[in-house]
Amino acid sequence: MDILWLLIALGLLFGVLGPFVLRRRGGGIRQVEPGSPDAADPEAYGFVRQEDQDVRLPGADDELLHVLDVVQATQDWRPASRLLAATGADGEVRWQRVQAFAGAASLELQERPGVGGAWLRSWRAEAPKDAGGAAVHGEFLVQQAWRSSSAGTDDFRIILEEALKVTEEAALLAPGDPVPCITQLAVARGLGYGHEQFDQVWAKVIDRAPQHMGAHLAALHYWCEKWHGSREEADHFATTAAARAPRGSLLAALPLFAVFENRPEFVLGTDFYRTAVVSKAMDGALYAVHSARADDPMLAHVRHLLVWFLVPAERFAEAMHQLVRVDGHVGALPWTLSEDPAAGYTVYRNLAVAGYEANGGSPATLPR
């Protein structure tokens, strides 16, 4: 029986990687020995080594990373408070920064139980009316629930109920800030809100930030089949939001996230990535990327997911155009679903480089 399972696993692995490494000699990707003159070299494109990839963020935010380093080194929460106070409440940046601070505190606590994340506890104790601290605390509790306990358990529910109380407090401290309400979407998913109750939370989000991409991603999780909706409901939610999105909005990429959430458990070969549904979603996401502002903070999220789809679809040149703009930061779907996001990302990046060069590409032919 063990041999049977081993053969099945090897078959699945070959089904996924086989199309990349076994090609006709006339084209495609060929597997060669390391150091061979025919070996593709990702570093020739200026790509960052796997061990140097930053797993904290999907894209660059130098100001945030500087403050985060200071906070963790000194355990002084005040720089984080000042940064959030100076960050506009109506955009995506505040949401990402709240998530980053909460994630840092949660990981600290995981690594050093009872000690890690002391700066967040001090922040809440010393400045209980600080809206930024309350928002970070609420998101921290949500991340703790998913990280430290299993969905549906008593501990999981208790932590999420506390998160709900904290986010309600944060919303009162900053009435125009959508972030506490977006955090409540994750609470609603974890606590199993019915559709009508979830719609009430969603209405509060839309009232504050109707085009918020992060909020739509959080809501999409709820409507997926594996949570409280179905494939049809998730697809309807995504395509409706994309159809209503103004030009330049990354919401046009939302159907690709719906395809990702509803992907088959096992995908063999390239056929799935070339279906009409997947191709249409990829093209919509590419349109969104090309139309969006260059400084849109959600661009990196879309680019990372595009890489995951474009590489197995053998659209290597398009994948490379995304990679040169996100390389160095891998804290995004789909890489964060694995224990080693940098390793997963690097596999796809290296396959993209190999495929690009097998089709005549080189560092000199890749526009920046």
Side-chain angles (χ1 to χ4, degrees):
M1 184 61 72
D2 290 342
I3 295 296
L4 176 61
W5 283 115
L6 176 61
L7 291 173
I8 292 173
L10 289 173
L12 291 172
L13 182 63
F14 181 82
V16 174
L17 297 182
F20 296 114
V21 298
L22 296 179
R23 299 285 181 191
R24 299 187 306 274
R25 285 192 175 270
I29 303 174
R30 292 181 295 112
Q31 193 171 26
V32 297
E33 293 297 323
S36 164
D38 293 327
D41 181 9
E43 291 189 21
Y45 295 85
F47 288 141
V48 176
R49 296 173 64 86
Q50 176 179 323
E51 58 269 27
D52 295 325
Q53 297 287 338
D54 194 320
V55 301
R56 296 173 292 180
L57 297 174
D61 186 341
D62 294 338
E63 190 175 16
L64 169 63
L65 292 176
H66 171 72
V67 170
L68 190 54
D69 288 341
V70 170
V71 168
Q72 293 188 301
T74 65
Q75 292 296 296
D76 181 3
W77 54 268
R78 290 172 183 81
S81 176
R82 288 192 293 268
L83 180 62
L84 288 181
T87 304
D90 58 346
E92 309 277 354
V93 175
R94 184 177 179 84
W95 173 67
Q96 293 196 47
R97 288 177 171 178
V98 166
Q99 285 196 313
F101 285 127
S106 181
L107 286 173
E108 278 187 37
L109 186 59
Q110 183 181 42
E111 294 168 358
R112 294 178 292 145
V115 179
W119 54 269
L120 178 55
R121 293 191 291 275
S122 298
W123 190 354
R124 294 293 285 140
E126 296 170 22
K129 300 301 182 183
D130 187 311
V136 172
H137 186 199
E139 175 65 28
F140 164 82
L141 289 169
V142 167
Q143 294 193 28
Q144 276 297 104
W146 297 105
R147 182 171 282 122
S148 65
S149 50
S150 301
T153 63
D154 289 342
D155 287 346
F156 182 79
R157 177 170 290 275
I158 289 169
I159 297 173
L160 286 184
E161 287 174 348
E162 179 63 22
L164 179 59
K165 289 168 53 180
V166 174
T167 54
E168 288 174 343
E169 178 186 352
L172 290 174
L173 291 170
D177 185 358
V179 172
C181 299
I182 297 172
T183 304
Q184 287 178 14
L185 295 173
V187 174
R189 175 164 57 96
L191 293 180
Y193 281 20
H195 291 182
E196 184 176 344
Q197 192 177 7
F198 182 84
D199 284 340
Q200 292 173 0
V201 180
W202 181 239
K204 292 190 295 183
V205 175
I206 292 301
D207 183 56
R208 291 164 173 79
Q211 301 297 327
H212 201 289
M213 180 70 171
H216 280 79
L217 291 176
L220 178 63
H221 290 315
Y222 174 90
W223 289 112
C224 287
E225 185 177 39
K226 60 187 174 184
W227 287 105
H228 309 295
S230 65
R231 290 174 179 265
E232 294 73 21
E233 286 171 310
D235 181 65
H236 175 74
F237 176 82
T239 54
T240 300
R244 293 175 178 172
R247 179 175 174 81
S249 169
L250 285 170
L251 288 177
L254 202 61
L256 187 64
F257 287 85
V259 171
F260 178 76
E261 291 295 336
N262 290 322
R263 67 195 183 280
E265 187 172 357
F266 296 109
V267 180
L268 301 181
T270 62
D271 289 346
F272 168 74
Y273 300 95
R274 292 176 173 174
T275 60
V277 170
V278 176
S279 295
K280 182 179 178 181
M282 281 194 286
D283 290 341
L286 286 166
Y287 168 81
V289 164
H290 294 151
S291 303
R293 302 187 331 267
D295 62 347
D296 191 314
M298 293 301 292
L299 257 178
H301 288 270
V302 181
R303 292 190 190 279
H304 279 290
L305 192 63
L306 272 168
V307 169
W308 192 87
F309 278 97
L310 290 168
V311 170
E314 299 182 349
R315 296 169 64 168
F316 301 116
E318 291 167 295
M320 291 294 286
H321 281 284
Q322 310 309 316
L323 285 163
V324 295
R325 290 164 175 82
V326 298
D327 191 72
H329 299 274
V330 296
L333 283 175
W335 325 120
T336 51
L337 295 180
S338 69
E339 291 185 3
D340 190 344
Y345 164 82
T346 303
V347 168
Y348 274 73
R349 187 192 66 187
N350 292 354
L351 288 169
V353 171
Y356 183 64
E357 294 191 353
N359 287 279
S362 70
T365 62
L366 182 64
R368 294 282 171 166

